[in-house]
Amino acid sequence: MIDLLSLLPEEIETLLAEAGEPRYRAKQIFDWCRRGVPFSEMSNLPVSLREYLTERCEWRLPTVEEKQVSRLDGTVKYLFRLLDGNCVESVLMHYAHGSTLCISSEVGCPMGCKFCASTIGGKVRNLLPSEMLGQIIAAAKDAGERIDGVVMMGIGEPLDNYENVIKFLKLVGHPDGVNIGYRHISLSTCGIVPRIYDLAEEDFPITLSVSLHAATDEARSQIMPINKVYPIQALLTACADYYAKTGRRISFEYTLIAGQNDRPEDADMLARTLRGALGKIPIHVNLIRVNEVKETGFRHGSRESADAFARRLSERGINATVRRRLGADIDAACGQLRKKHTEQEKREES
């Protein structure tokens, strides 16, 4: 069966040529797909073509399995059920400039970062381009609003699913599709260095967000196993190359863990590490108070200590802000809702 939602218009044209259909039908079908309309409801297509699509293609639009809405700020956490029964998460966040959806790129995650709930249980499989695009389509339909931006910071490591992510980017930015501008898309990676070089060559004007979370190899390797393969210097060298190729400012994610990497001396070391490797390259550090997941044992400090860490970085020439916590009254932290749902299903099965 052909995964129709993963096809670009020119690929749909090839499919239609096999059926003896005119090329212009491809644009019609692509338009229906980006609106999340199933084959049977593509009303401007002949019945014979709709039947052909039903016989040859599968419909991989996720369905809403569970939904949580924050009473504090309207943030919406979706648990989406995929065609094979697996579930992934997305978070719809509202800002003054529009709505942004944080999406997943894999079912589970193989990276093993010690502070993250998404990696508990490991990776199940990659998401297809349609399953990433489908999160945007399904959330927009459910919310009744346009999605203006995408953040690839949900479950999974996007650069571990490289080919499917590149295809997704081509789909999501296509002018005849959902048409989200690349400058409104951020891709977060824990640091698969060879793929950062590859991504720089793709020429997508997206924002690269690098999960750093520590300023020394010793500290980073304790919480991020990927650092044992691609240490900090190799990662920051790749970031410098990315900036040289794209001219796009790089964002660094830094999760503040109480008593472990949130001390004044940690801020000093972070500033020295970044400026020592990147010089005057424009960067931004997003400081995130760690989400408290019982399995990790990590705790976050106060908002005041996070603000002090940001000020210390700024005093040392590093642009830094503390990320606003959205959806604090729901399971908005990545991986928590899926984990809770999976545990509930296992209890019911036993």
Side-chain angles (χ1 to χ4, degrees), residues 58-271:
E58 59 186 5
W59 188 245
R60 283 190 170 268
L61 190 70
T63 57
V64 179
E65 178 73 13
E66 191 171 339
K67 175 181 173 181
Q68 297 178 343
V69 182
S70 171
R71 286 179 286 185
L72 299 176
D73 50 41
T75 297
V76 183
K77 180 64 173 278
Y78 288 103
L79 185 70
F80 285 119
R81 175 79 66 176
L82 305 175
L83 190 62
D84 66 356
N86 279 300
C87 291
V88 294
E89 299 174 3
S90 300
V91 181
L92 181 60
M93 300 164 286
H94 301 98
Y95 300 98
H97 58 268
S99 297
T100 294
L101 189 71
C102 179
I103 69 167
S104 297
S105 58
E106 297 178 315
V107 180
C109 182
M111 294 298 127
C113 298
K114 303 302 182 185
F115 50 83
C116 183
S118 295
T119 197
I120 297 173
K123 174 182 171 180
V124 178
R125 67 171 177 85
N126 290 332
L127 289 187
L128 297 168
S130 60
E131 293 170 322
M132 288 178 268
L133 184 68
Q135 294 169 64
I136 299 169
I137 295 171
K141 287 184 68 176
D142 180 81
E145 62 186 86
R146 173 176 167 78
I147 306 298
D148 304 291
V150 177
V151 181
M152 303 191 76
M153 293 183 184
I155 295 172
E157 162 56 55
L159 297 188
D160 181 58
N161 186 16
Y162 186 80
E163 298 300 335
N164 284 337
V165 164
I166 295 303
K167 183 65 174 296
F168 160 74
L169 290 174
K170 293 177 180 178
L171 287 164
V172 75
H174 197 286
D176 294 329
V178 295
N179 192 24
I180 295 176
Y182 289 121
R183 296 184 186 277
H184 301 289
I185 298 175
S186 295
L187 184 150
S188 177
T189 178
C190 68
I192 302 179
V193 166
R195 290 308 196 183
I196 294 176
Y197 287 105
D198 292 340
L199 185 64
E201 297 292 339
E202 300 285 354
D203 199 29
F204 290 114
I206 63 175
T207 297
L208 179 65
S209 294
V210 176
S211 297
L212 194 59
H213 308 309
T216 67
D217 283 326
E218 181 182 7
R220 193 168 189 259
S221 293
Q222 289 178 359
I223 58 174
M224 299 183 72
I226 190 68
N227 195 73
K228 298 173 185 177
V229 182
Y230 305 114
I232 290 174
Q233 186 57 52
L235 174 59
L236 295 183
T237 299
C239 290
D241 180 84
Y242 186 88
Y243 176 77
K245 287 281 187 182
T246 66
R248 298 286 291 165
R249 185 186 74 169
I250 296 170
S251 173
F252 289 93
E253 310 292 323
Y254 190 96
T255 295
L256 294 165
I257 304 171
Q260 186 157 331
N261 68 351
D262 67 340
R263 298 159 297 190
E265 57 266 34
D266 295 313
D268 295 345
M269 179 60 74
L270 179 60

Side-chain angles (χ1 to χ4, degrees), residues 16 19 21 25 29 45-54:
L16 294 179
E21 293 286 344
R25 295 289 187 197
I29 293 171
L45 303 184
V47 173
S48 60
L49 179 53
R50 281 182 264 170
E51 291 175 347
Y52 175 80
L53 294 175
T54 302

